[in-house]
Amino acid sequence: MTKESAQGAAEEEQQAQSKKGLKKQQKEAEKAAKKAEKQAKVAAEQQSAEEDDFAKDRYGVSALVQSQQKLDRTLVRVQDLTPEKADQLIWLRARVHTSRAKGKQCFLVLRQQQFNVQALVAVGDRASKQMVKFAANITKESIVDVEAMVRKVEQKIESCTQQDVELHVEKIFVISQAEARLPLQLEDAVRPDGEGEEEGRATVNQDTRLDNRVIDLRTTTSQAVFRLQSGVCQLFRDTLTKKGFVEIQTPKIISAASEGGANVFTVSYFKTSAYLAQSPQLYKQMCICADFDKVFCVGPVFRAEDSNTHRHLTEFVGLDIEMAFNYHYHEVIESITDTMVQIFKGLRDNFQTEIQTVNKQFPSEPFKFLEPTLRLEYTEGVAMLREAGVEMGDEDDLSTPNEKLLGRLVKEKYDTDFYVLDKYPLAVRPFYTMPDPHNPKYSNSYDMFMRGEEILSGAQRVHDAQLLTERAQHHQIDLEKIKSYIDSFRYGAPPHAGGGIGLERVCMLYLGLHNVRQTSMFPRDPKRLTP
Amino acid sequence: MPMYQNGEVDPAVKALEARQDEILRKLYELKAAVEGLAKTVTTPDADLDLTVSSSLSSQSSTAVFTGTTDLDALLGKDLGALRDIVINANPAQPPLTLLVLHRLLCQRYRVLSTVHVHSSVSSVPPQLLSCLGPRHPDSHSRHMFQLGFTLIWKDVPKLQMKFSVRNMCPIDGEANVARFLFKLLAPYPSDPALATLVDSWVDAAFFQLAQGSSEERAAALRDLGSALGRSAWLSGPDLSLADVACYCCVLQSGSAPSAPASVRRWIKSCENLGCFSHAKTLLL
């Protein structure tokens, strides 16, 4: 290759490069011009928008509510938004459940507890383009104050609880802004188990729910569960109060374990140690000896059992009953079962909405019961199990699978989800259980079952100090440790019986749920101490 | 009256005497019962003197139902628990037949009777809650009874009986349950013709007398009249399920006043038996 030719080639290259460079430059210039144009346009638009936004005062983020002013404004509840309210201008505070913008319109679903309603922000003489944009950008779960006109709709809105009306928003202010990212989506948390898998959508597992309990508790299902639970408590109190019971409060920090020391929590108590109460058993009985006649108690109970099952918690709410009777402990069984039946009836008659809400996510058959409650004897239960092919001894305790099987057999024959099994073998019951006068192998004790799972364990207690001592010795219990307990019966004690129910279990089984953590607001189990 | 009161008499003689006394006593009772029966059947309007009627009603189970009392043979091996018969009935249609049969069962066995209301029904009239009579004083210990009779007022389209859920399907229909219960009291007639006759009367009672149209009902009443013209009870000389079923259905349909004379006489005869009169009070 010669120098010239090489030079020429380089020149050519240069020329070509400069040509390319020119083109490039040109293009870039064009781009820049366009960009500038665009920017100018946007700026102009923005400027004009800012200038034109006639609805500026109708939306925005409110100042922190620090109780600066006391507005004379009535906030309507979402559940009250019915066709009767049509064409009224109302104020409302709710959460933004979902928002969906579509051109000049933005649809919001506003939620308040388990109720929700559709709201619409549309460009018009009341709302500007900017307002619609603002509404569309409000993060989910933010709390907003809305002024809106209630309008009837022609087609029912199937996705909302308020199906007959929608809201035409005139003002919208954010009271509390939620962070954009939620740890779980509410829609995912209420999706029935089977559905998510079919559509390939997410469901939220129990641990995620419990870790983010505050958000999970906002779901319609949780709202319904805990409203119903409150109902159970109230019905329990009301029914017993009507029957002449007295509500008592008992200490939860105790000096000695009441039912065997194995499953109690020990706490340090100044220079010594104490226990957390497994049940108010002792105190209930002491109240009976102190002439309170019929007592009940609602409060926390602690079990240090290291069992991670669907129905065990380490702390739960106990509903405890103790009652003096005249001649037969069945007087007490009847009183307790009647209380339960009143609770079931009260739930059936007053909590239908809640029951149906829970059923949407966790379908189950309605809870069935008989009035008066069915009472079977232990021997009958054993006979039914043997007929079904279960091999068990006369005095064996019921295993959990056998309990469930018996529940199914009873349901099949009597069509009830609630029954009493009476006359348990003495050997499987605690020392303070009264023996059966006709057959010393059996005892005056009973369990109550809901959907085949035990919810109450109770018995006639030994109210005679002498017999109590004998029974304790038979169970090889150190008499020194229970001295104060036995002593309470030395100065005249009426015959009495009682039992205790777990509130969470009752709710779980009434609703046919599968895990007791679903009915405990902040569940405590061997592996969970937070939130 | 024993004639020798000193202890010297041969025990065999004493036993013989006791047997003779017993036989004589039974004969007298039988005579009284037969007389009473004759009176009720032939002159239903006559007021029975109390001793006869009470001996009659207490005897009716032994006199009329001379079947086996062995429930083991009838219902299978005793598993050491109460044999509980569960009946689901709709309070809109109280099963009168079964209530009559319940009375008869109580005369024969130690029956634990309980009435429940199922959660599918919101309210039940008080007379239906007490339709099985007052609570037995021993009802707190279920194992002391031979038979359980558990009546559940429930929202069911058709009366239903559940007994041994493992081996028996639920029995539907009041007529079929009645047949089952009656067999616990007395075996069906061994004569197949007679047994079929009883069955056909039971069918006529439920399908024609109780549920039939007015023409069907009238026809059934005419049949009833002619049958009762020939014998005291529907299937011959003894009270049978045919009588219980027809009586209750006639009562329930309210067609008693327009019935032929022979039917009205038979109704009176039924009502003279204690167990029937009770059913009438339950009609709403």
Side-chain angles (χ1 to χ4, degrees), chain A residues 371-372 377 380 414-415, chain B residues 84 116-117 119 142 154 162:
Chain A
E371 189 184 10
E377 282 175 16
E380 272 181 281
Y414 299 92
D415 199 26
Chain B
D84 200 0
H116 296 276
V117 180
S119 53
R142 290 169 65 94
K154 186 178 172 185
K162 289 179 179 178

Side-chain angles (χ1 to χ4, degrees), chain A residues 368 414-415, chain B residues 86-95 118-121 151-162 170-174:
Chain A
K368 292 174 180 171
Y414 299 92
D415 199 26
Chain B
V86 177
I87 290 165
N88 295 315
N90 197 317
Q93 296 138 6
H118 191 261
S119 53
S120 58
V121 174
L151 178 62
I152 300 173
W153 296 115
K154 186 178 172 185
D155 184 17
V156 280
K158 211 170 186 188
L159 184 127
Q160 190 179 54
M161 183 191 91
K162 289 179 179 178
I171 311 262
D172 276 353
E174 187 176 337

Side-chain angles (χ1 to χ4, degrees), chain A residues 328 330 334 348 367-377 379-380 383 387-388 409 411-415, chain B residues 79-82 84 86 115-119 135 139-143 150 152 154 162-167:
Chain A
H328 201 287
H330 281 181
E334 278 155 26
R348 177 189 69 186
F367 190 81
K368 292 174 180 171
F369 53 91
L370 297 177
E371 189 184 10
T373 302
L374 178 71
R375 184 179 62 83
L376 299 175
E377 282 175 16
T379 44
E380 272 181 281
E387 201 188 347
L409 295 173
K411 172 101 190 236
E412 211 175 325
K413 185 158 177 178
Y414 299 92
D415 199 26
Chain B
L79 284 161
L82 182 71
D84 200 0
V86 177
V115 181
H116 296 276
V117 180
H118 191 261
S119 53
R135 200 157 81 158
S139 62
H140 56 83
S141 26
R142 290 169 65 94
H143 61 268
T150 303
I152 300 173
K154 186 178 172 185
K162 289 179 179 178
F163 180 60
S164 167
V165 284
R166 302 299 296 185
N167 312 313

Side-chain angles (χ1 to χ4, degrees), chain B:
Chain B
M1 276 280 166
M3 285 201 263
Y4 312 100
Q5 300 212 322
N6 55 1
E8 309 281 296
V9 184
D10 185 3
V13 177
K14 231 181 167 178
L16 206 62
E17 271 179 350
R19 263 182 71 192
Q20 189 188 15
D21 283 347
E22 177 67 10
I23 290 167
L24 276 173
R25 194 184 58 78
K26 275 189 180 163
L27 272 174
Y28 278 125
E29 271 180 19
L30 206 60
K31 193 177 165 226
V34 168
E35 272 173 1
L37 205 60
K39 232 177 176 176
T40 30
V41 172
T42 52
T43 57
D45 292 347
D47 280 334
L48 293 170
D49 64 79
L50 272 174
T51 51
V52 175
S53 74
S54 69
S55 85
L56 186 71
S57 61
S58 69
Q59 293 288 303
S60 64
S61 56
T62 44
V64 181
F65 309 119
T66 47
T68 166
T69 44
D70 187 9
L71 281 172
D72 278 357
L74 285 167
L75 296 177
K77 208 174 84 205
D78 183 3
L79 284 161
L82 182 71
R83 296 182 168 97
D84 200 0
I85 298 171
V86 177
I87 290 165
N88 295 315
N90 197 317
Q93 296 138 6
L96 296 192
T97 331
L98 305 190
L99 299 179
V100 172
L101 290 171
H102 167 256
R103 278 286 161 113
L104 291 170
L105 283 168
C106 287
Q107 289 170 6
R108 180 65 166 279
Y109 303 106
R110 267 176 292 124
V111 180
L112 175 67
S113 321
T114 41
V115 181
H116 296 276
V117 180
H118 191 261
S119 53
S120 58
V121 174
S122 51
S123 73
V124 170
Q127 72 265 34
L128 293 185
L129 291 177
S130 56
C131 66
L132 297 186
R135 200 157 81 158
H136 196 285
D138 282 335
S139 62
H140 56 83
S141 26
R142 290 169 65 94
H143 61 268
M144 288 171 68
F145 295 85
Q146 292 173 289
L147 206 59
F149 192 97
T150 303
L151 178 62
I152 300 173
W153 296 115
K154 186 178 172 185
D155 184 17
V156 280
K158 211 170 186 188
L159 184 127
Q160 190 179 54
M161 183 191 91
K162 289 179 179 178
F163 180 60
S164 167
V165 284
R166 302 299 296 185
N167 312 313
M168 272 165 76
C169 63
I171 311 262
D172 276 353
E174 187 176 337
N176 300 323
V177 177
R179 287 182 177 108
F180 177 86
L181 293 181
F182 196 81
K183 281 177 187 170
L184 299 178
L185 292 162
Y188 254 41
S190 51
D191 174 14
L194 207 55
T196 313
L197 183 69
V198 171
D199 266 337
S200 76
W201 274 121
V202 173
D203 283 344
F206 285 99
F207 292 117
Q208 296 180 344
L209 283 169
Q211 299 159 16
S213 63
S214 54
E215 292 99 55
E216 279 178 308
R217 195 175 294 168
L221 272 178
R222 275 197 303 279
D223 290 349
L224 209 58
S226 58
L228 289 168
R230 290 191 295 272
S231 65
W233 302 105
L234 278 172
S235 59
D238 292 331
L239 177 78
S240 75
L241 182 61
D243 299 288
V244 179
C246 288
Y247 168 82
C248 292
C249 291
V250 168
L251 205 66
Q252 224 154 6
S253 66
S255 48
S258 58
S262 59
V263 174
R264 275 176 298 170
R265 199 180 61 221
W266 162 81
I267 290 175
K268 279 271 161 54
S269 314
C270 289
E271 279 166 7
N272 282 330
L273 298 172
C275 50
F276 281 84
S277 54
H278 172 69
K280 211 174 175 179
T281 62
L282 289 172
L283 273 184
L284 303 174

Side-chain angles (χ1 to χ4, degrees), chain A residues 94-101 106-112 116-121 135-142 144 159-160 172 182 185-188:
Chain A
R95 275 183 198 279
V96 174
H97 186 61
T98 57
S99 65
R100 185 164 49 93
C106 174
F107 287 96
L108 300 166
V109 174
L110 298 180
R111 191 187 77 234
Q112 193 175 63
N116 51 26
V117 65
Q118 177 169 286
L120 172 66
V121 192
N137 285 334
I138 301 175
T139 48
K140 273 189 189 181
E141 294 302 302
S142 294
V144 292
S159 57
C160 291
I172 183 162
L182 291 170
Q185 300 298 318
L186 266 76
E187 297 89 75
D188 297 338

Side-chain angles (χ1 to χ4, degrees), chain A residues 189-201:
Chain A
V190 295
R191 191 165 290 133
D193 274 346
E195 238 168 66
E197 286 156 30
E198 281 164 30
E199 295 169 21
R201 285 192 187 153

